[in-house]
Amino acid sequence: MINQKAGTLYFIPVTMGEDNITKVLPFEVINIAQQLNEFIVENEKTARHFLSVIKHRKPIRELVLKPLNEHTSDKELPALLSSLLTGKDVGLMSEAGCPGIADPGAKLAALAHQKGIRVAPLVGPSSILLSLMASGLNGQRFTFLGYLPTDKTARIHQLKEIEKRSKLQETQLFIETPYRNQHMLEDILSTCHGETRLCIACNISCSDEFIVTKRVKEWKAQALPDLHKKPTVFLLLA
């Protein structure tokens, strides 16, 4: 049951680059963000920059920004919703892309539902869905796995399991910390079968966007793209 006295928690997508605000975000999303005075954010510096770029109607220093990141404990979550329970609308923003997907926003959304607070997702770029759309791989059955293990032995083992699962015609999507992307790519190419299809989707929705699908043996036969420190989604289908 929705609490009619509570405000709305808007999940506000942000761009994944700095040069494409109007190309990627609908006017209505920008308009809603410009009207909010309080935000729950993954990264305060990134959030302030985004709000400045969209020309928020208030001075940025007057806005309330509350952090929600991997260091936020579950016991801290109720305080983040306090303004909503008094009737104020609040925006939630990830560092990039859509909040609630592969970030701490999901826990806050779950708590908001428990308290009867309306959660309103706004339209914007999701690297996961955009990469799947453009990959040419199976878009009817897919699994997003998040981050793979940092330990090389464990990562190689999981890559083998992922490839095996993809043989059921289920596209497997996963990501890596940007500075380890090149190592991930090398591990994929050294582990997976030559006929397995690999899509590399890098800097999605940015001016230098790179989304290419080839078989592993074809990737190994050419110069590899430079993925260092560039947000990248990897997709596998055997």
Side-chain angles (χ1 to χ4, degrees):
M1 184 71 70
I2 296 294
N3 180 352
Q4 299 299 329
K5 295 182 180 180
T8 296
L9 177 59
Y10 288 100
F11 272 43
I12 301 172
V14 300
T15 53
M16 292 179 277
E18 298 184 3
D19 57 352
N20 57 354
I21 297 287
T22 56
K23 293 180 181 178
V24 176
L25 294 180
F27 169 78
E28 185 60 21
V29 172
I30 297 174
N31 186 49
I32 289 174
Q34 289 173 333
Q35 297 181 56
L36 299 174
N37 296 319
E38 183 172 324
F39 298 87
I40 300 166
V41 303
E42 186 175 7
N43 182 301
E44 289 190 42
K45 182 179 179 180
T46 303
R48 292 182 191 280
H49 177 73
F50 173 78
L51 293 168
S52 177
V53 170
I54 66 170
K55 297 179 171 56
H56 195 284
R57 296 167 188 176
K58 275 194 171 184
I60 304 302
R61 65 180 180 276
E62 295 181 12
L63 301 176
V64 176
L65 301 184
K66 297 180 178 179
L68 171 64
N69 51 48
E70 69 273 19
H71 303 298
T72 305
S73 66
D74 289 351
K75 66 181 181 181
E76 295 176 275
L77 296 179
L80 297 176
L81 300 176
S82 57
S83 295
L84 286 145
L85 293 173
T86 67
K88 294 181 181 179
D89 294 336
V90 175
L92 172 69
M93 293 190 296
S94 294
E95 189 169 356
C98 292
I101 306 297
D103 85 346
K107 285 187 176 181
L108 194 67
L111 184 61
H113 287 301
Q114 292 176 25
K115 294 181 177 296
I117 296 170
R118 176 176 173 247
V119 178
L122 301 180
V123 174
S126 165
S127 60
I128 299 165
L129 291 180
L130 291 174
S131 64
L132 184 62
M133 287 166 61
S135 69
L137 304 181
N138 192 347
Q140 297 195 63
R141 294 185 62 192
F142 56 91
T143 298
F144 175 63
L145 302 163
Y147 293 92
L148 301 194
T150 56
D151 176 75
K152 186 178 179 69
T153 301
R155 186 167 63 250
I156 295 295
H157 174 74
Q158 187 163 353
L159 281 170
K160 292 177 179 178
E161 292 299 313
I162 289 170
E163 184 178 37
K164 187 184 301 182
R165 198 179 311 152
S166 76
K167 292 180 180 178
L168 301 175
Q169 286 304 295
E170 180 180 281
T171 303
Q172 306 292 303
L173 301 91
F174 49 95
I175 54 179
E176 179 54 281
T177 303
Y179 67 84
R180 288 202 297 260
N181 278 336
Q182 219 66 34
H183 295 300
M184 172 62 77
L185 177 56
E186 291 167 3
D187 287 343
I188 294 170
L189 298 183
S190 66
T191 302
C192 294
H193 190 275
E195 293 297 324
T196 294
R197 285 171 287 172
L198 166 65
C199 176
I200 301 172
C202 178
N203 275 350
I204 298 169
S205 80
C206 298
S207 58
D208 59 344
E209 176 181 85
F210 177 89
I211 305 176
V212 176
T213 299
K214 295 178 181 289
R215 298 191 184 278
V216 165
K217 64 180 181 182
E218 294 171 327
W219 282 116
K220 292 171 72 172
Q222 67 170 63
L224 298 179
D226 178 12
L227 308 178
H228 187 57
K229 292 187 177 181
K230 299 175 182 178
T232 302
V233 181
F234 299 96
L235 303 89
L236 276 183
L237 188 65

